[in-house]
Structure formats: structure tokens, C-alpha cells
Amino acid sequence: MEGTILLSLAGLALAQYSNSTFGTPTGNYSTTTFNVASATTYLAQTDFSNERLNLLWDQVGPISTGPISTTVSPTPEPTAYPSPGIFHPLVPSYDSNLTNAKLPAGFRWGLASSAYQVEGAAKDEGKGPSIWDLLAHRVPNEVADNSTGDVVAEFYYLYKQDFARLKSFGVQSFSPSISWPRLFPFGKGPVNAQGVAHYDDLILSMVNQGIKPVVTLFHWDTPLALFNEYGAWSDEQIVEDYFNYAKFVIERYDQYVDLFFTFNEPQYCNWQYSLYPAGDYYPAYHNITGGIEARIACSQYTLLAHARTAKWYHEEFKGRGRITFKNSGNYYEANSTSSGDTIATQRNYDFALGWFNNGPWNDGDYPQSVKDTLGDMLPALTDDQKAMIKGSCDFFAIDGYTSFYAAEVTGGLDACLANSSSPNFPDCAGSASTSPDGFPIGPAADPGANWLYDTPLGIRRFLTKITRDLFPAVPDIMVTEFGFSEPFEGQFTTTNQILWDLRRADYIQSFLDNILASIRYDGVNVTGAFGWSICKWPIRTFSSLSSALPYFV
């Protein structure tokens, strides 16, 4: 009864005003309708002012600053560092035949890092925000402990001290990444002079210390402005904007750098990028809000951006060095001799490594299994694009931290392929860190890296698998990242606890054993190895580095 009365009153109100008129405002007004869900037109950037940059940072929120605000001159390094004494030896090699073996002449070895994870100085000296700044600040639990890259190791100001220490340890090479939004705060447009001056000095500081720079052009800290403008890696415009940035860096530093990595791990598209909250914190163009659509777009434009840059580097610029991208991938051992587990093993390789490497090392196209699985969802590459992709890598670079057992997915492959909403789609291949008999595959790392286990034999088998089976056209291969998180190290409060990182030392020693075994016993042309990362290796972890140094002497 009450509802009927309310409806009647509403009807009377409408009837009362049905003949009403409204005034006509004077002036130059226009009308339209709005629907934020149908936003498809680019927000083309034309304003590259300080005011616009400030608005970008407002999108991120307040930024923390560290105790250091200017570049620090290095203090003298000690002539000797603390090392294990008589009561406990270093972790030994497990293969006595390798005790006196050395890595081949010309072997590139060193350490690596990424700008966002070590630089800090997030908003200093004209830098623009990256997507990571937004995600870390605005999206709860996007970073496990809700920390940010605002301060971190303050490498932006302490690099001279770090390089002095690397020199004192005899480290041959160092591979930093360059921050795209530090050079191009808006991702395009004017170059930030302070950012250029910083990287000029960083490169020269390395060279002056006798350390060879190996530059990673991009480590996924995409300028936030490009997400606002057109969706970044969800739109083909990113290819040209990335190339414009990469071209600037290469032309400026090529005389000092003979190894360039265009991308750190394009496989980032598969796992991280596909989970970005497009449409929640920045516009979602092309109706791509994550999932398989984001993965496909990101993968295609990443591969094209790499190929565009690599072809220009050799054919137009005539660069003096070599160029490739770093892969994220791990060794897989079939869980059994069943055909299902064997197929799952290959699919794990196809959808991680093959998606990005079949083209450069074979015919310029995607693996057949990827094309068959994705069908019309996967845009076909043109003949010109295939020609550009083919041969675009000079060597293979693998960040191979661990190993897994591969198994057929529950319910079988065919059921997974028929259900694009399956959480296992499109890979449709299982993996586990437990052996078929239930024993863990190796010693576990810190629970924060619950995927990471110490599996040294895996890297040896992986190097053979890549160069002999998956991509036999590869002339040589580098292990461009490997490392281990000591269990519960973040809870340690004294250097006495921290310096005896035995599980990490065991990982490093046995990992290097197996790289050397791959060269000596298997004949694999391994030409480099880089530990991850500068802040977890020689700066604090003396025992780990000391156990590894004999190979490099």
C-alpha cells in the first residue's frame, strides 16, 4: 500500500511540471552526452609542462624521500673484507674435476639490477612517474608488503660508492637498467636534461672504474603518461614511442656499451601485465582490462618494439656491439613418461620462451602451438613484421633461476583447450616444485619467493635444451640473471646472522659449477653470467661472492 502511494505522488509531481519551461542560458554553450565506458579516443599529449608533470605525480600520491639528496663521492674501500675464519669453510664445489677449471677467455660476468628496484629518488630531478609508482602507491597489496620504490637503496645518489666496491671485488661488468620516465618524463616529448646528466655520469663512472657497462633499456617501468594517453602496451603506438626512447639511449652510449638488452623478460606480459588494473586506476583502451587480451597485445607490441630497435641498431645505426632481450624461463622435467606430461613439458616452453623466441630464431612467426591455441585471438603477423623479427637477436639471454616438474593439467589438455576461461588457458600445462615421489625439488628460498628452489643441475640441462633442442640456431647463450633469497633474511637484525647466508652460497657455488660443467662437459657456448642483484650480492653477501671468485681469477 505504501509503495502505491509513493508512486502516485511521483506521478502527480510529474504531471504538475509537464507543461513547465526552462530558461535559455546566454553565451556560447554546447551539449553532448558522456559515457566513460566507451572511451576509445587517445588522450593525445600536447602539454609537456611542469604543471602537467605535477598532475601526473598527483595521480600517484605523496612520495617519500630518503636521507640523501645529492650524489655522494665514494669513500676509500678497505684493503680486505671480513671473511670466514678457521671454524667454518666456504661452500665447496661439488665436482672435484672442476676445482681448478676456469671459465673461457672473454666470458662476461658481473651483476645486474633494475632502476625502479634500486634507484629511489622517485620524483627527483625531473623524473616522471612510471606505472610501478602508481601500482605501488595506489593498489593495495600490489606489492606484498605495500612498500614502494620511492627510496629503496638510493642507488641514484650512491652509485659511485657502489662502483668503487664492485671494483674492489674485481667485478668485471655491471648491468643497470635505464629508467624511461627519468629520461622522458611523459614517455615522449622533451628529454629531461637532469636525467641525461645522471646517466652520463653513471656510465662514465663505471668506465672509469674499469667496469664494463651492459645496459638494459627497459625493465617494465613504463611511463605512466603513456598508460593515460593510449594504454601503453595495449596499443601499437607504444612501438614507436619505445623505439624513440631506445634510439636516444643507444645513440648516446653506444661508444661505451657493447651489449644492449632491449627488454628485461618480455614474458612479463604473460603474468604481471595481464593482471594490471586497467580501467580502475587509468583508462582501459580497446576494452582491454587485463587477462588474455592484455597478454596478447603486450606480447605482440613488445616483440615488434624489440625487432624495430634491433634491426635499426644493426642496419641503420651500425652499432658496434650486440643486442637481444633477456628471457624469463626455467627448465622443465617431465613428471613421468606419459604422453600427457611430455606434451605439457613442451607447452611450458612454447608459451614462455617460444612465444617470443620462435620468431627471432626461426621463421619470424609464433610457434604453431601458440597459433593453434589462440586462433583468431592472436593477430597474424604480416610478412614485413616477420622479416623484421627474424634474426633480431644476436645471442640468447636467459634469466633461469630454478626448475620445475611438468605435468598434464587436471582434466586433460583437450578440455583445457576447449575452455578459454580455464585458469590454465592458454598454456594448458601444469608445473610443480615437488618431485613425483613427493620430495621437494630442492632447498626452498624465502617464503616470499615461494616459486624459487635451489636446483643447480637444472641450469646445466636448460642450457643444453635451449641451444640444442628449442632454438638450435642460437650461436651463444648468456645466463643474464640468477640468484637466491636466503630464507627469512628479512627478519635478521645483525650482520652476524646476515653474513652466513649458507643456502645462497650453496646456490651460487653449485649454479656456477653447472654453468662451467655445461661448457666443459656438454660443449655449450655459454659466454656470460650475471648475478641478481647488486644489492643482494657483493654489497652485503661476502661469503657468497668469495666462494665464487676462484672461477673468474
Side-chain angles (χ1 to χ4, degrees):
M1 183 67 178
E2 181 181 355
T4 302
I5 293 172
L6 289 173
L7 288 172
S8 298
L9 290 173
L12 289 172
L14 289 173
Q16 180 180 356
Y17 294 106
S18 61
N19 296 320
S20 301
T21 60
F22 297 92
T24 303
T26 59
N28 185 24
Y29 295 100
S30 64
T31 61
T32 188
T33 57
F34 295 93
N35 179 6
V36 295
S38 64
T40 56
T41 304
Y42 297 156
L43 292 172
Q45 294 191 82
T46 57
D47 181 358
F48 302 108
S49 66
N50 290 326
E51 291 75 18
R52 180 60 61 179
L53 182 58
N54 192 55
L55 285 174
L56 282 172
W57 278 111
D58 284 346
Q59 186 180 351
V60 172
I63 301 297
S64 300
T65 56
I68 303 171
S69 59
T70 189
T71 302
V72 175
S73 297
T75 57
E77 288 292 309
T79 56
Y81 295 94
S83 61
I86 62 173
F87 293 104
H88 196 296
L90 293 169
V91 175
S93 169
Y94 293 106
D95 187 342
S96 59
N97 293 323
L98 296 174
T99 300
N100 297 315
K102 306 296 180 189
L103 292 165
F107 191 91
R108 297 293 293 268
W109 71 277
L111 301 168
S113 72
S114 78
Y116 182 80
Q117 292 169 285
V118 301
E119 280 189 352
K123 195 177 175 180
D124 292 0
E125 298 191 345
K127 177 183 172 290
S130 75
I131 186 63
W132 282 2
D133 290 306
L134 178 75
L135 296 178
H137 277 268
R138 296 290 306 280
V139 184
N141 303 313
E142 186 74 12
V143 179
D145 62 355
N146 289 307
S147 61
T148 72
D150 292 359
V151 179
V152 287
E154 294 204 289
F155 179 71
Y156 187 78
Y157 294 122
L158 294 173
Y159 60 92
K160 290 180 182 290
Q161 183 71 67
D162 290 337
F163 293 158
R165 186 155 298 176
L166 293 185
K167 178 183 179 181
S168 72
F169 274 97
V171 173
Q172 178 206 82
S173 298
F174 176 59
S175 181
S177 76
I178 305 296
S179 170
W180 183 353
R182 200 176 287 283
L183 290 181
F184 291 81
F186 299 92
K188 57 172 58 172
V191 180
N192 175 25
Q194 290 173 292
V196 176
H198 167 75
Y199 286 118
D200 286 354
D201 193 59
L202 183 138
I203 295 292
L204 288 178
S205 294
M206 268 192 279
V207 172
N208 291 336
Q209 292 282 16
I211 300 168
K212 298 177 182 178
V214 177
V215 168
T216 299
L217 294 169
F218 179 66
H219 206 285
W220 293 102
D221 44 349
T222 311
L224 176 60
L226 300 185
F227 279 90
N228 290 339
E229 182 179 4
Y230 55 78
W233 298 100
S234 296
D235 188 272
E236 63 182 349
Q237 188 174 331
I238 194 69
V239 175
E240 193 61 29
D241 284 339
Y242 171 85
F243 171 70
N244 181 64
Y245 154 72
K247 178 175 175 289
F248 178 88
V249 177
I250 292 172
E251 288 183 327
R252 190 158 187 90
Y253 302 123
D254 184 66
Q255 61 183 310
Y256 303 108
V257 179
D258 63 355
L259 289 179
F260 284 103
F261 299 119
T262 53
F263 284 82
N264 180 81
E265 302 178 355
Q267 292 80 9
Y268 188 94
C269 296
N270 300 4
W271 305 298
Q272 288 91 340
Y273 187 83
S274 64
L275 300 176
Y276 275 11
D280 293 332
Y281 297 90
Y282 57 87
Y285 294 97
H286 307 295
N287 294 318
I288 296 177
T289 57
I292 187 62
E293 294 85 1
R295 178 177 177 178
I296 290 171
C298 175
S299 298
Q300 180 130 337
Y301 300 136
T302 296
L303 189 55
L304 291 174
H306 154 76
R308 170 91 165 88
T309 304
K311 288 292 186 180
W312 165 84
Y313 178 72
H314 284 307
E315 296 178 4
E316 297 180 43
F317 180 63
K318 308 296 183 183
R320 71 184 191 91
R322 300 203 296 166
I323 194 167
T324 192
F325 55 79
K326 296 167 62 176
N327 287 277
S328 174
N330 299 289
Y331 178 72
Y332 290 92
E333 187 84 19
N335 201 48
S336 72
T337 58
S338 72
S339 60
D341 289 354
T342 300
I343 293 171
T345 303
Q346 185 59 44
R347 289 188 70 87
N348 274 308
Y349 287 131
D350 285 350
F351 281 81
L353 294 182
W355 194 322
F356 299 96
N357 288 280
N358 187 77
W361 296 109
N362 290 316
D363 59 359
D365 205 354
Y366 298 116
Q368 193 62 46
S369 61
V370 173
K371 293 194 291 185
D372 290 344
T373 300
L374 295 176
D376 293 339
M377 288 188 289
L378 183 69
L381 294 166
T382 67
D383 289 342
D384 286 345
Q385 288 172 334
K386 292 177 189 177
M388 182 173 68
I389 292 168
K390 184 177 181 180
S392 60
C393 291
D394 293 332
F395 62 99
F396 202 96
I398 183 66
D399 299 350
Y401 285 85
T402 193
S403 301
F404 295 94
Y405 284 100
E408 184 177 18
V409 293
T410 302
L413 175 61
D414 290 342
C416 179
L417 293 175
N419 180 14
S420 61
S421 63
S422 167
N424 293 309
F425 186 88
D427 306 46
C428 293
S431 63
S433 299
T434 305
S435 64
D437 66 2
F439 204 77
I441 196 169
D446 186 87
N450 58 12
W451 55 272
L452 180 55
Y453 287 76
D454 184 356
T455 57
L457 180 60
I459 191 62
R460 178 179 171 187
R461 293 184 176 180
F462 198 21
L463 292 169
T464 297
K465 181 73 176 179
I466 291 169
T467 56
R468 303 279 171 78
D469 184 8
L470 297 175
F471 312 108
V474 168
D476 66 289
I477 186 168
M478 290 189 185
V479 180
T480 40
E481 285 182 28
F482 68 102
F484 198 76
S485 54
E486 186 75 9
F488 307 106
E489 186 175 48
Q491 300 175 21
F492 296 164
T493 58
T494 69
T495 54
N496 275 359
Q497 295 171 308
I498 293 171
L499 290 178
W500 272 114
D501 51 348
L502 284 175
R503 194 165 287 189
R504 180 185 287 125
D506 174 80
Y507 175 99
I508 293 169
Q509 179 65 62
S510 54
F511 207 97
L512 289 170
D513 279 350
N514 279 274
I515 291 176
L516 188 57
S518 177
I519 297 169
R520 287 299 188 92
Y521 301 151
D522 307 331
V524 178
N525 190 19
V526 187
T527 54
F530 289 79
W532 185 269
S533 72
I534 183 176
C535 290
K536 286 293 186 183
W537 203 308
I539 301 303
R540 303 192 194 124
T541 312
F542 301 115
S543 61
S544 297
L545 184 70
S546 298
S547 67
L549 277 176
Y551 283 144
F552 304 117
V553 175

